[in-house]
Every structure is written in C-alpha cells, then in structure tokens.
Amino acid sequence: MKRLNLLYITLILCVPLIAGSFNWYSQNDERWKSEQLGSGKRSIGSSGCVLSCLSMLLNAEASNEYMTPDRLNEWLKKNGGYSGSNMRWQIPGEIDGSGLGLELVAQSIVRNDWDFLSNELEKGNKVIVKVTGRRSHWVLVIKQNGPKNKPSSYIINDPGMKEYEERTLAYFGGFKSARSYSGNWLDEQAFDLDSEINVVPVSQDELFLYDVAKLPHPADVYVTLHNNLPVEISGYFILGLFDEEGNYLRTVDYEYATVEASGNYDLLYELPDVKPLNEEHQDLKIIYSKYFSNMPSLTESIELINKGIRNYTNTTN
C-alpha cells in the first residue's frame, strides 16, 4: 500500500449518477454545435442528429476509442462519410474495420414497423429511427420495455435535447424509417463485480504512526471485475465516494485497465481515509468510462452494480 502520498482528486459539485445509462450526446453541445457538418453549409447544431446518434453508438461499443460528435465528424470528412451534409450510413461502421465493432446490419422504410424495431432490439442491436412530427429528425432507440406496438415501450436517446431526460417514442408518436446497428455494447450488462468491494485498512500496529502524525487512516480497496462481453474492454475504472442520497462526492482513485474477453480482472485502489465509510455513512462505487474525468459525465459513464462493501476496519481489534 502506498502511504501518506495519495492525492485527493476533489470534486466541487455533488451530482447523482444515472445507473445503467447508455451514452447520450446533444447535437447542441457548446463544444461542437457550431462546427460545419460534413462539407455542406449546415452545422452539427442544426442538422447533426444522425452524427450524434452514431457517436453515442461508437462510444458505447467496446472495440472503438472514445468518440464524440466532433471527433466523428472530422473522421467522416476524411473518409468519405458524407455527401455534402448527408450521412453515408455504412461508413461509420468502417472506423474499426469491416466486420468488427459497429456494423450497419438492417434497415426498414416502413412507417411504424414495430416488428422490425422489436426484432432488432431483441437481437441486441440498437436502432436509429427517423421520427414522425418533424421534417427530418433522428433518434436512437436503445431499449424496449412493453408491448412492441406501442411507442411508449421504446426508450430513446434524443440528440435534440439540450439536457438529458428519459424519453420514449411516444414523445414523437412513432417513426418513419429505421436503421439497425450491431455491436458489443458497454452498458449495465457488460460488467459484473464478482466480489464485494473489500476495504482493508492499515493494521493496528501501524495506526499509532498515523495518529502521532495526526494523519487519516488509509486503506487498500480491491474488487474482482468480470467482463461479460466476447471482446476485451479497455478504459478507466474509477473508485468514487457517494453520500447516502447517491450523490457523487469525489474521485478517490482510478485505474486504467484492459479486461480480456469474458475474463476477470482484480482492481486495486487506495483510500486515503476510512472515516467517511465508518463515521459518515458514505459509500464506495466503481464507475467505468472510456476516458478519465474527475467529474464523470452523467451520460458517458456506467455505474457498476456492486454487492456491497466489506470493511475490515475492526477485524484486527
């Protein structure tokens, strides 16, 4: 265990993370909304709904690097992804090579083709649909929860929102056409924690050294992670501290790791002080993200479902 020199990465804001969320991007994000879409005269903010949906898919696909609408836009410009400002739908699937990662696998031009939509989602695919009620707007359908012939059964990620909110296809009333993509999705089904989050403080023999120096009592934290996907997963596994209401307080530690296909990985972290767990009723959770941020994004990270915390604080008494 590294002692006395672990840097706190402190967060200014306390925010709740959305457990089990699928990646979401807004085409109106200040970081890219003004950028030229393809080689036409339109911008990502005005017409980048398809681009944003595809960015969500690529960033949630295990084989691809961290991808945002601006990054994908630049790659597509260099690789024949546009005709003017219009997307060539099959090209984004070539970003990681043919037959790997994201792939366009099916499409329908039938209005409210519920059989198509339900069948594709049942296969594990995600579907981008052109919605009704708008001249031309596309959203990403990520999950079905209810009868297949009801718009309210389909949970969507709408890139037209400025801030995320959960919506279904009922918001638009239905869809006009659809395109389905396959992939190995990084969502709440991709990982299992095969053990509790184990917290092992310093031994009683060492504690007096910290007490003399008036320093907090540190601990090692370890947990075993299982990859449920048939491909390897790489990224940052962030150890976060949460309050009793589930608000994210701060980043404690993080590890960049590659977990082999269907394999296990032992994550090891350092907790600078066990007091928040023992006296303040706070909680530790593991967050996965393709890139590191000391403020994990609500819409680009996955909170892994754990089996609880095992705290060995009192076992040496």
Side-chain angles (χ1 to χ4, degrees), residues 38-54:
S39 58
K41 297 181 179 180
R42 291 175 281 178
S43 68
I44 294 177
S46 66
S47 303
C49 52
V50 172
L51 174 73
S52 299
C53 287
L54 287 164

Side-chain angles (χ1 to χ4, degrees), residues 76-95:
L76 291 170
K77 287 179 180 179
K78 297 174 183 177
N79 292 275
Y82 292 105
S83 175
S85 296
N86 296 318
M87 183 69 62
R88 290 183 170 135
W89 289 85
Q90 75 281 7
I91 299 299
E94 297 178 4
I95 199 167

